[in-house]
Amino acid sequence: MSVAEPHHHHDEIKVPKPLLIAVGCVLALSVAIAALASSTGAGVLKPRVEDVAASASLVFVDEPDGAVSVHAADTGETVHVFSADSGGFVRTAMRAIAFERRRRGIGSAPPVTLARTTDGRLILSDPSTSKSVALNAFSDASAASFAVLLQPEGRGDDHDRP
């Protein structure tokens, strides 16, 4: 009786070499474009000066009672106070900015810029990190929570509102 040799199946997937080269080129190009955009600021959302209808340089301060007060950077005037149980979107946006600043070793003192463009967009920019957020991209209600900071009649605190 003869002993059968074990049968080995070698299921190999053969990928054509030109396809591997093409995939490698696409990956290299993607990395190069991302590096170029990062180093030159291409794609950064920054309104042109002539497109800005209104803007304010603001400092946000977490208060001991849980409120967030917003101050004009140039005068220190209190622009608005979000009580502890309001301003959820504002808090979230500012946490994202604070996180990026901590990551870069930047404190909370530098102001942020809130701008309304002539076409109605609201853009929150942090000049210390060069990061910007288009607030309208989230929702009109989210943008409105920041828009009040650009309107003199909206200044005050959340308890002044219906």
Side-chain angles (χ1 to χ4, degrees):
M1 187 176 208
S2 69
V3 176
E5 290 186 24
H7 186 63
H8 295 284
H9 283 281
H10 293 283
D11 293 331
E12 294 182 23
I13 298 174
K14 300 212 182 224
V15 179
K17 193 171 187 176
L19 180 60
L20 289 175
I21 292 171
V23 169
C25 289
V26 168
L27 288 173
L29 182 63
S30 298
V31 170
I33 289 172
L36 179 66
S38 179
S39 66
T40 64
V44 172
L45 180 64
K46 201 177 253 185
R48 297 183 314 211
V49 174
E50 63 270 17
D51 290 341
V52 175
S55 69
S57 187
L58 305 168
V59 176
F60 289 73
V61 178
D62 287 321
E63 300 295 342
D65 65 355
V68 173
S69 59
V70 185
H71 305 273
D74 55 349
T75 65
E77 171 194 2
T78 300
V79 174
H80 193 82
V81 177
F82 293 96
S83 63
D85 59 348
S86 69
F89 179 71
V90 171
R91 292 169 191 278
T92 301
M94 295 313 299
R95 274 191 210 111
I97 287 173
F99 175 80
E100 185 63 25
R101 286 180 170 186
R102 274 193 308 275
R103 194 175 74 78
R104 295 177 183 217
I106 302 169
S108 61
V112 296
T113 302
L114 178 63
R116 180 179 26 257
T117 61
T118 54
D119 64 359
R121 291 179 297 138
L122 280 176
I123 300 171
L124 182 65
S125 302
D126 182 5
S128 63
T129 63
S130 300
K131 299 289 184 184
S132 298
V133 178
L135 300 170
N136 301 76
F138 295 94
S139 73
D140 289 339
S142 295
S145 63
F146 273 95
V148 69
L149 302 176
L150 291 175
Q151 301 167 354
E153 68 276 3
R155 294 181 175 204
D157 62 40
D158 289 335
H159 299 296
D160 296 338
R161 299 177 190 287

